[in-house]
Amino acid sequence: MGPAVNGRVSGELLAGRDFVQLFRASGKTLQTISVVLATYQRPATGTLTISLHRLLAPYAPPVPASPMAALGARLIAKLRTRLCMYRPPLRLGAGLAAMTVDCANLIDNEPVDLPAGSLATAPGEYLALRIQARGTRRGAAPTVRLADDGTRIEGHEICFAGEVSKGVYGAQAAVTHGGPIAESSGPRMILYSPVSQCNLNCIHCISRESRATANRLPESIKTQLRGWCEAGQVEVISSDYSGDILWADSRFGGELDFIFSLNIPFHIDTNGVCLTKDVSGRLCKTRLASINISLDAASDATFKRVRKGAPALREVTENIAGLVRARAAAGADFALSMSFTLMRSTLAEWPDFLRMAARLGVTSVFARHLEAFTLDMEADSLWHDKSGFNEARLDAMALADALGIVLACPPPFRDLPQAGRRPCHVPWDSAVMLGNGDIAACCVPGMVMGNLHENTMEEIWNGPRYQSLRATVNSATPEPVCAACPMFRRTDNPDSYLIHSARARLRA
């Protein structure tokens, strides 16, 4: 088992030693709870029943006792828990949702999702997540990850392993809230793409649909966006989606100044071609939170093949080195990363890509699988070479560690095909704004919810198209676009890799 968050786990989940997490609901509808389980990197036995409950009796926080009395109570509780003579510290009602998990199928440090349907909740009410073990044995039982930071379950009140309270530590878990009607009048985050053109024509670009025609967002819609930011409705903006924002600024002018003027944190994704010395200096004086440069290659030949229209790779890496120097000189603290798309045709360059990042002074690298939204992409998916990816992944992780690089990469394939995907929270949090005024639910093609030339954001945000999406996105029967989603994939779901074929089949 890898290092726990803050070094904490709940202890082995054994029969008679329930884990109970008490938390407060934060919304009016609860859809899913995802709790991170660990296996200590060893085979696990038995089953776990994960259930959600309301309380039969009001919860009363513990009353501070004298040091000696508190110590005695803790010792007795630990002894009873050790002997599996567990007495529930909370009175729980019947299960509102429940599922049974075979421990042999658990993946170390990956979340397990408990669907709750669309459970009506009162904001602030107490709910309890309970995990009960059957047939597990010491030395072969899983555990619950604990945390006291932002990964701890939202609304944490207290949790117990047996009778022992874990204090400020709670389950490392996520709660997905939201019904058909969003509780906000608009998205908190905007994925912003004001120009539907780009300086490159990458072979793996997912935005071919939105780039079919040339559009530039009019000032009238930009004024609306500025108003949402001033009102505190939009808290962060992220670019880019269907055209490089640095190229758009150099081509048309004013695009970066507009983002700067919103006075909110922002993120930039760029191909780095237009990341000049002047642009780097300007970025270092703004509220830039993070910037990622997508290269996808470590050799010039592969770079020009994958990123059609690109200059020599050396020119772009010199731009990145210039940004590293400018950030250091300005004392700026924005996050800087590079990204690498994992394809059968590029996998061999992954180690050299990591070495290149280290030479440039970039200490964070994102690697993600090819998103095959068109038929011509599917043959290059590593779904067709799972063992090759798994071997390369281990080598890349070891190399990144030696180079001092934080590498974010997908989990290994287990060659156990599974349907479905992880819970999605996007339709309640963010939206994509395109150059033609379209508002899309996310960056996945085919998710247009409306157009700002025809309706207001408020009308679109809680309009019929969004309501339909929110009602189905986390159900057993999501729309084909969602069923084949690569963003919240389960590792061994073939539809989330061979997306074009999957969507055609699901629509049929």
Side-chain angles (χ1 to χ4, degrees):
M1 181 174 66
V5 176
N6 298 320
R8 294 295 182 105
V9 293
S10 69
E12 290 185 303
L13 295 166
L14 301 171
R17 184 191 293 178
D18 294 0
F19 176 86
V20 179
Q21 168 71 61
L22 187 67
F23 67 100
R24 289 181 179 269
S26 63
K28 297 179 180 178
T29 306
L30 190 152
Q31 294 207 341
T32 311
I33 300 179
S34 305
V35 58
V36 177
L37 300 178
T39 64
Y40 301 94
Q41 292 187 346
R42 65 195 183 195
T45 62
T47 62
L48 299 179
T49 297
I50 305 174
S51 53
L52 179 67
H53 305 259
R54 287 192 170 94
L55 303 187
L56 290 176
Y59 170 68
V63 177
S66 67
M68 288 300 294
L71 176 61
R74 284 198 301 271
L75 290 174
I76 292 172
K78 286 183 178 180
L79 177 61
R80 281 202 294 255
T81 297
R82 181 69 179 170
L83 297 175
C84 296
M85 297 169 59
Y86 166 68
R87 294 190 302 189
L90 303 168
R91 293 186 60 199
L92 307 183
L96 303 169
M99 65 182 295
T100 299
V101 178
D102 186 339
C103 294
N105 293 330
L106 293 175
I107 302 176
D108 193 35
N109 297 321
E110 284 205 3
V112 173
D113 305 318
L114 172 64
S118 291
L119 178 68
T121 56
E125 77 165 305
Y126 285 116
L127 297 170
L129 178 70
R130 185 177 195 175
I131 304 178
Q132 297 170 287
R134 297 288 185 273
T136 58
R137 55 183 176 82
R138 296 185 192 278
T143 185
V144 180
R145 284 289 199 194
L146 302 180
D148 67 348
D149 59 12
T151 64
R152 184 181 67 182
I153 191 169
E154 182 182 8
H156 166 79
E157 186 70 36
I158 196 169
C159 75
F160 298 90
E163 285 189 52
V164 179
S165 165
K166 297 300 181 179
V168 297
Y169 288 88
Q172 187 179 348
V175 182
T176 305
H177 288 282
I181 301 292
E183 296 180 27
S184 62
S185 60
R188 181 187 63 83
M189 192 269 276
I190 292 287
L191 187 58
Y192 179 69
S193 185
V195 180
S196 62
Q197 290 176 289
C198 191
N199 53 329
L200 304 185
N201 187 26
C202 303
I203 64 172
H204 57 310
C205 180
I206 72 170
S207 61
R208 294 182 190 179
E209 289 185 11
S210 60
R211 289 172 57 194
T213 57
N215 294 282
R216 188 181 179 198
L217 203 66
E219 288 300 320
S220 58
I221 293 180
K222 290 183 178 180
T223 299
Q224 293 178 48
L225 175 55
R226 181 180 285 110
W228 304 333
C229 295
E230 291 174 350
Q233 175 181 305
V234 174
E235 300 172 5
V236 64
I237 192 165
S238 180
S239 170
D240 188 59
Y241 172 67
S242 67
D244 191 281
I245 192 68
L246 302 188
W247 171 81
D249 186 70
S250 68
R251 172 68 176 79
F252 298 104
E255 297 296 346
L256 281 178
D257 284 339
F258 172 74
I259 292 178
F260 300 162
S261 72
L262 298 178
N263 196 31
I264 60 173
F266 64 97
H267 166 81
I268 285 179
D269 270 307
T270 177
N271 55 44
V273 173
C274 297
L275 186 61
T276 63
K277 180 179 179 180
D278 175 67
V279 170
S280 292
R282 292 169 65 196
L283 291 174
C284 289
K285 300 174 183 177
T286 67
R287 297 193 65 181
L288 177 66
S290 55
I291 183 170
N292 177 72
I293 299 96
S294 302
L295 297 180
D296 303 318
S299 70
D300 194 61
T302 301
F303 183 61
K304 290 181 177 179
R305 177 183 65 83
V306 172
R307 296 191 158 263
K308 291 183 178 181
L313 178 60
R314 182 188 67 258
E315 293 183 26
V316 182
T317 57
E318 287 175 353
N319 289 346
I320 297 172
L323 178 62
V324 172
R325 291 192 297 269
R327 182 178 64 167
D333 61 356
F334 57 82
L336 170 60
S337 61
M338 289 165 44
S339 60
F340 183 81
T341 300
L342 298 160
M343 299 181 268
R344 297 172 76 186
S345 62
T346 64
L347 189 62
E349 295 191 14
W350 196 2
D352 286 340
F353 187 89
L354 294 170
R355 296 186 185 98
M356 179 173 67
R359 289 196 301 271
L360 294 171
V362 177
T363 57
S364 181
V365 169
F366 291 93
R368 60 183 299 157
H369 283 291
L370 170 72
E371 293 157 5
F373 285 105
T374 55
L375 185 60
D376 59 296
M377 297 185 193
E378 292 198 357
D380 217 2
S381 170
L382 282 162
W383 178 260
H384 300 300
D385 188 9
K386 303 182 191 69
S387 61
F389 166 70
N390 287 350
E391 293 171 9
R393 176 181 179 274
L394 291 175
D395 292 342
M397 291 174 66
L399 177 59
D401 188 57
L403 294 171
I405 287 177
V406 177
L407 174 61
C409 66
F413 291 108
R414 295 192 302 157
D415 206 21
L416 295 171
Q418 55 184 330
R421 48 149 183 71
R422 302 292 325 289
C424 175
H425 57 81
V426 172
W428 293 272
D429 293 338
S430 63
V432 176
M433 181 183 291
L434 299 178
N436 65 350
D438 276 348
I439 294 295
C442 68
C443 62
V444 173
M447 298 297 286
V448 173
M449 300 287 109
N451 188 285
L452 290 171
H453 291 294
E454 301 168 2
N455 296 99
T456 67
M457 176 60 88
E458 291 78 11
E459 290 170 338
I460 296 171
W461 184 242
N462 276 317
R465 183 73 182 89
Y466 253 118
Q467 289 189 42
S468 175
L469 174 65
R470 293 182 184 124
T472 60
V473 64
N474 290 322
S475 73
T477 55
E479 298 182 18
V481 175
C482 298
C485 174
M487 307 303 174
F488 297 95
R489 64 161 50 104
R490 294 193 188 280
T491 301
D492 292 278
N493 178 1
D495 288 352
S496 68
Y497 300 89
L498 311 180
I499 301 168
H500 179 272
S501 296
R503 287 169 63 167
R505 188 191 74 249
L506 292 166
R507 287 193 182 105

